Amino acid sequence: MTRVLLLGGTTEAGRMARALADAGVDAVYSYAGRTEAPVAQPLPVRVGGFGGVAGLVAYLRAEGISHVIDATHPFAAQMSRNAVEGCAAAGVALIALEREPWQAGEGDRWTHVPDLAGAVAALGEAPRWVFLAIGRQNLSAFAGAPQHHYLLRLVDPPTDPLPLPRAEAVIARGPFDVAGDRALLKDHRIEVIVAKNAGGAGAEAKLVAARELGLPVVLIDRPLVPERRVARTLGEVMAWLDG
Ligand code: 3Y8
Ligand code: NAP
């Protein structure tokens, strides 16, 4: 009997949920609970961590899950690691619905860095106007470079004081559009953008706007995740489920 756990939180996971609902597949959509009011989904939703690998295994067994689709963000590496370990332990089939990394095109001025520390170093010492478009969870990595003026974009208003002295936050949930991001970059006199190489369409607008404005981008490589079966399209996932 097919029963699917969809690890979500991305644009692709929303599309996957729609495909599963339309096909009448018995599935549950899982959010980590990072935001105050996550977007509704056409599937039953659960919110919050499972409690590590052991908690995930217990959930898979208690809920009779037969298949897990990991459609989390490429930077949600801990969840992806837990999914590989938990599904192996519980004997549950796993596939990752993963988007391609962004590739630089004509006119892009990208500097690839391996991690957050690399991004801080790439900004250099001289104070700059920086669009730090990495969300909320990793801002403290930039506390060592307080000389820059940071524009932040957060999903929810910050509850704690920001760890950066010269930071201004705009509150917005993507997906974003090029016109809006171009205006944001110009209005805030942005000189450089720092972003994660998330891939996908939901966060790409700032890169297109940067190209149009001739602005440099510091792009953080994805963290490594363990080997697992990977699908690039919804169709591949649906075929795997039918297999
Ligand atoms: C809670 C669910 C959908 C999914 C939309 C995608 C696109 C818009 C772009 C910028 C970059 C960033 C951030 C971003 C984008 C989509 C997608 C994506 C980047 C929501 C959502 C949840 C989250 C969590 C949140 C993180 C943060 C990261 C903001 C919902 C809106 C920067 C990633 O405050 C916090 O704790 C926020 C944390 C993880 C990264 C971080 O470290 O701060 N996403 N984002 C999910 C859960 O609870 O399981 O609230 O509806 C989903 C989306 N955010 O259904 O349309 O698919 O990537 N999300 C990055 O790419 O760098 C914004 O501003 O340009
Ligand atoms: P993470 O660091 O990989 O995971 C940390 C812990 O959060 C996990 O061990 C798990 O807790 C819990 N968790 C993560 N995703 C979950 C999910 N979908 N359902 C239930 N529990 C989940 O995760 P993250 O980077 O904070 O991302 C959290 C969520 O935001 C994910 O849904 C992800 O798709 C979405 N998102 C993240 C980014 C990003 O930049 N990281 C961008 C866009 C969207 P337990 O160990 O207790 O099970």
Side-chain angles (χ1 to χ4, degrees):
M1 187 59 190
T2 299
R3 180 154 161 70
V4 174
L5 170 64
L6 174 55
L7 299 174
T10 59
T11 303
E12 288 71 18
R15 292 188 188 136
M16 188 76 249
R18 171 49 59 206
L20 292 168
D22 290 351
V25 174
D26 178 5
V28 59
Y29 187 108
S30 182
Y31 278 118
R34 287 281 179 286
T35 54
E36 285 166 13
V39 159
Q41 295 295 339
L43 293 173
V45 169
R46 67 167 297 288
V47 181
F50 296 96
V53 174
L56 177 60
V57 171
Y59 178 87
L60 295 174
R61 288 182 173 143
E63 291 294 320
I65 301 293
S66 59
H67 295 76
V68 172
I69 302 170
D70 178 356
T72 59
H73 188 277
F75 281 72
Q78 186 59 56
M79 185 70 253
S80 293
R81 278 193 289 273
N82 288 3
V84 171
E85 213 179 314
C87 289
V92 169
L94 169 67
I95 197 166
L97 177 58
E98 195 178 75
R99 51 211 182 177
E100 301 277 355
W102 290 312
Q103 305 285 342
E106 185 68 31
D108 284 327
R109 296 174 54 195
W110 294 1
T111 303
H112 293 278
V113 294
D115 50 30
L116 290 158
V120 179
L123 290 177
E125 287 308 312
R128 300 172 82 179
W129 292 82
V130 180
F131 178 25
L132 187 54
I134 60 167
R136 179 184 61 87
Q137 298 183 102
N138 302 123
L139 293 177
S140 53
F142 292 81
Q147 70 273 25
H148 302 303
H149 299 264
Y150 291 105
L151 170 67
L152 311 177
R153 181 150 62 184
L154 308 175
V155 178
D156 297 314
T159 46
D160 315 323
L162 295 169
L164 304 168
R166 295 188 185 84
E168 179 188 353
V170 295
I171 306 302
R173 165 190 275 113
F176 303 103
D177 62 68
V178 176
D181 276 8
R182 189 190 311 114
L184 187 73
L185 295 173
K186 288 173 74 170
D187 294 350
H188 291 268
R189 301 197 305 275
I190 297 302
E191 298 168 308
V192 58
I193 291 140
V194 176
K196 298 173 183 171
N197 196 339
E204 194 175 23
K206 59 186 175 283
L207 304 181
V208 177
R211 181 189 308 140
E212 290 176 356
L213 296 171
L215 296 178
V217 176
V218 174
L219 210 55
I220 303 168
D221 293 340
R222 299 173 169 191
L224 292 176
V225 291
E227 274 300 300
R228 71 256 166 101
R229 182 192 288 261
V230 172
R232 293 288 184 209
T233 67
L234 302 184
E236 284 173 61
V237 177
M238 297 309 282
W240 169 78
L241 276 179
D242 289 343

